[in-house]
Amino acid sequence: MATEVLNGNASRFAARRMALFVFVALLALLVLLPLARLQWLAFSNGGQGYRDAFGTPAIWETILNTVGLAIGSTAVALVFGTLLAWWATQLSPRLQWLRVLPILPIVIPAVASVSGWAFLFSPRPGYLNALLRQLPWWSDLRFGPVDIYTLFWIVAITGFALSAFVYLFVSSGLRNINSELLEAARTSGASAFKAFFQVTLPLLRPVLVYGGGVALLLGLGQFTAPLLLGTNQGINVLTTQMYWATQSEPINHAAAAAIGSPLLVFGIIMVFAQKMLLGDQTRYVTHGGRAFRAAGKPSVLAAVGIFTYFVLTTLLPLVSLAILSLSPFWSANPKISNFTLENFRVAFGESVIVGAIINSVMTSLVAVAISLVIGFIVAVVTIRGRRYWLLRSVMDIIVALPLGVPAVIFGVGFLLAYSMPPLMLYGSRWLIIIVYVTLMLPFTTRMQLAGMLQLGSAYIEASRVCGASYLKTDLWITLPLMRSTLGGAAALMFVLLTHEFTASVLIRTPRNQVMGTVLFDYWQNGGYPLVAAIALIMTGVTAIGVVLAMLLGGRDALTRI
């Protein structure tokens, strides 16, 4: 009898291990196949792709632009993200709603935000440039004084967008600091300034290193701002160079694959560097005591600072979009009497635009549904699969890769991997869905893992003691208890996917567009009022997702991004 029980347990263990192996293999196929296809193509014909990509002097200027964009935008993001997070701790209870304002750049479509900046600071017809030329010392200028189509402004705009990520990381780190440490420093005679730099900032080192690393990786992979703003002045970075290699004649996919290699390698190096710098993270955990609270009274200046930052970096680009979308043409001096809704009527009357909106919503919904299932399985295995440590470790690395590898690399990789037999998916919606699922793997896993850890193991152990299987426990206990987490995760992934542009522009076809790619087409053709209208429609669709996220996931749903 005992032997039969042991044999039964061994059989179940082997079956589960085999099922997990198949699952991990499918994940590897999903994530690693495009990357492997890229490297195979780059090294084919004796490394011809690398010779084409790095054999011209212009490539070194492109690399310098890429490095400058990454480092500069990371510096901007670290300064503003940390400052905003510190200000957020000094808000009075009735102004706590201001804490969400620094996060908005994440949920506003990047392509809409960058377009808005261009409409503000284009040298001649930019709205704010026209106002600045009314000042006495600039009244003799016909252009400027700001030129948005320069590397400086590409760095600044990218830094403003990335500051939202740093803000989230630093805010999370501040919440974990015991305020008694700050009070002890102040009691010992340290000023608020000295306590911040000698107590708070050292304790924030892990989140600053991690947040800075994430910002640096995102800065290296930036695509939208360099593409929309840098093309006018011939400013290229590695991601845009990859794009042009796949669009110009003759098309050189091997060179595009080779150009992306430095970004891929650097992403891997950054992951290992972060682990070495942080080491044992338990050194930075403070136990007991009260939660972090800034010393002194709530600061009005902090509230003014957060709101001013929001107006200058987020609201103004949206206002410029609103003005241009209501105008018949782009002029430096728009007249309210000429305002019309014609651009929105055209947008909702064009079959291409309506089709792109429907396509964006449908592909995003399907991708979210698939991502939720995959994320749930990964989270369950991560928590309960200690016996399968090797497979679990491999799975953990695979699902984290899409966060370190720029989306444009996955776009080119999927274009190459699925545009030939036996997996001929190019031109179908399924290719977009597969790309979206791949990009969402880190997000769905992280959010569901956090939800499961918050639940604890008591419910599962009680269910198992009562004789329920793991499957029955998950269906009747875990999933109902995680309803808000799943709802919030679904809504937030929907937000991120409906304004996805970087990978979509590489795998789209004329008959298979999404909102961001249609907007880019009109941008290239100079239809700027319609661009503004489409950008606002994208923002509206995203806003619906944000509302759903907050309804389903709670008021703090945005902070889970």
Side-chain angles (χ1 to χ4, degrees):
M1 182 66 181
T3 303
E4 292 178 356
V5 171
L6 289 175
N7 288 337
N9 289 337
S11 299
R12 282 194 293 273
F13 176 76
R16 289 170 184 163
R17 186 170 57 183
M18 179 56 67
L20 180 58
F21 177 80
V22 172
F23 178 71
V24 174
L26 290 174
L27 284 179
L29 183 68
L30 188 68
V31 177
L32 301 182
L33 177 63
L35 304 181
R37 173 66 178 151
L38 275 176
Q39 289 307 306
W40 179 83
L41 192 61
F43 281 105
S44 61
N45 296 323
Q48 183 62 42
Y50 280 100
R51 285 196 294 274
D52 292 342
F54 298 99
T56 59
I59 190 65
W60 300 109
E61 183 181 349
T62 301
I63 293 174
L64 283 177
N65 289 340
T66 306
V67 174
L69 172 60
I71 295 177
S73 60
T74 300
V76 172
L78 282 173
V79 170
F80 283 104
T82 305
L83 187 61
L84 289 167
W86 176 250
W87 280 342
T89 64
Q90 300 178 332
L91 295 173
S92 64
R94 64 188 178 87
L95 293 177
Q96 288 295 311
W97 61 273
L98 289 174
R99 297 171 65 91
V100 79
L101 295 184
I103 308 172
L104 290 182
I106 293 178
V107 298
I108 293 176
V111 68
S113 177
V114 173
S115 303
W117 279 104
F119 299 143
L120 283 174
F121 286 117
S122 184
R124 185 173 176 80
Y127 296 132
L128 276 185
N129 265 336
L131 289 176
L132 291 173
R133 287 198 293 269
Q134 302 300 317
L135 298 173
W137 50 88
W138 283 322
S139 59
D140 59 330
L141 295 179
R142 295 180 58 195
F143 301 93
V146 177
D147 185 357
I148 197 71
Y149 305 114
T150 59
L151 185 59
F152 172 84
W153 278 98
I154 294 173
V155 169
I157 292 171
T158 304
F160 295 150
L162 297 182
S163 65
F165 291 92
V166 177
Y167 168 80
L168 286 173
F169 288 124
V170 176
S171 296
S172 175
L174 285 171
R175 284 195 295 270
N176 293 327
I177 294 177
N178 183 358
S179 65
E180 290 178 351
L181 296 175
L182 290 181
E183 292 174 3
R186 296 299 301 273
T187 304
S188 301
S191 64
F193 185 80
K194 192 172 183 180
F196 175 77
F197 279 95
Q198 294 193 353
V199 179
T200 306
L201 213 52
L203 289 172
L204 287 176
R205 179 179 147 196
V207 293
L208 289 175
V209 170
Y210 185 75
V214 170
L216 188 65
L217 285 173
L218 293 174
L220 282 171
Q222 279 299 305
F223 178 71
T224 306
L227 182 66
L228 296 186
L229 303 180
T231 303
N232 278 2
Q233 303 287 344
I235 299 172
N236 274 314
V237 293
L238 288 175
T239 52
T240 55
Q241 199 70 36
M242 286 184 71
Y243 172 75
W244 294 122
T246 63
Q247 303 296 315
S248 57
E249 292 292 340
I251 295 175
N252 195 338
H253 285 148
I259 292 170
S261 297
L263 300 177
L264 183 62
V265 172
F266 192 80
I268 296 172
I269 292 175
M270 282 301 298
V271 171
F272 282 98
Q274 282 183 346
K275 290 183 179 296
M276 290 176 63
L277 284 172
L278 296 181
D280 183 8
Q281 298 188 37
T282 58
R283 291 180 298 159
Y284 307 102
V285 176
T286 58
H287 297 283
R290 298 191 295 273
F292 179 82
R293 187 180 67 243
K297 298 179 180 178
S299 171
V300 176
L301 290 178
V304 173
I306 291 176
F307 190 74
T308 303
Y309 178 84
F310 163 73
V311 170
L312 294 179
T313 63
T314 307
L315 187 60
L316 279 179
L318 292 178
V319 170
S320 73
L321 289 175
I323 293 173
L324 186 53
S325 68
L326 296 172
S327 304
F329 51 86
W330 187 7
S331 166
N333 301 301
K335 296 180 180 178
I336 297 179
S337 58
N338 291 336
F339 279 3
T340 173
L341 294 175
E342 178 66 14
N343 293 314
F344 290 96
R345 189 191 66 76
V346 172
F348 286 112
E350 285 280 347
S351 59
V352 174
I353 299 175
V354 174
I357 295 173
I358 296 174
N359 205 25
S360 285
V361 174
M362 293 302 296
T363 52
S364 298
L365 288 175
V366 175
V368 165
I370 298 173
S371 300
L372 282 177
V373 175
I374 295 176
F376 184 82
I377 296 173
V378 173
V380 166
V381 173
T382 302
I383 292 177
R384 304 177 197 164
R386 292 184 177 85
R387 290 195 294 175
Y388 316 101
W389 62 271
L390 181 58
L391 286 172
R392 189 177 66 165
S393 301
V394 173
M395 182 186 68
D396 188 44
I397 294 173
I398 291 174
V399 298
L401 268 178
L403 197 60
V405 178
V408 66
I409 293 181
F410 274 108
V412 177
F414 275 97
L415 174 68
L416 299 176
Y418 293 98
S419 58
M420 62 179 60
L423 298 171
M424 189 68 183
L425 295 177
Y426 181 66
S428 73
R429 286 182 177 176
W430 280 108
L431 182 56
I432 296 178
I433 292 170
I434 291 174
V435 173
Y436 284 3
V437 169
T438 305
L439 296 179
M440 287 299 104
L441 284 178
F443 297 95
T444 183
T445 301
R446 177 178 173 177
M447 287 185 279
Q448 294 193 61
L449 187 60
M452 285 187 188
L453 290 174
Q454 286 179 350
L455 282 180
S457 60
Y459 297 104
I460 297 173
E461 291 171 356
S463 175
R464 293 285 293 162
V465 168
C466 293
S469 64
Y470 275 122
L471 179 61
K472 196 171 183 179
T473 299
D474 287 334
L475 290 176
W476 291 96
I477 305 294
T478 309
L479 284 175
L481 289 174
M482 287 185 60
R483 187 172 54 189
S484 63
T485 299
L486 294 172
L492 288 172
M493 284 191 288
F494 178 77
V495 168
L496 296 175
L497 290 177
T498 49
H499 61 70
E500 207 290 324
F501 169 70
T502 303
S504 303
V505 76
L506 287 155
I507 58 173
R508 56 82 177 263
T509 62
R511 295 186 177 181
N512 192 19
Q513 302 258 29
V514 293
M515 288 188 287
T517 60
V518 166
L519 184 151
F520 179 60
D521 287 343
Y522 279 99
W523 173 276
Q524 285 187 307
N525 295 329
Y528 298 117
L530 205 50
V531 166
I534 298 171
L536 286 181
I537 293 171
M538 286 183 69
T539 306
V541 172
T542 303
I544 294 173
V546 172
V547 172
L548 286 174
M550 299 187 76
L551 289 175
L552 296 173
R555 294 170 59 184
D556 63 338
L558 290 181
T559 63
R560 301 176 190 172
I561 293 178

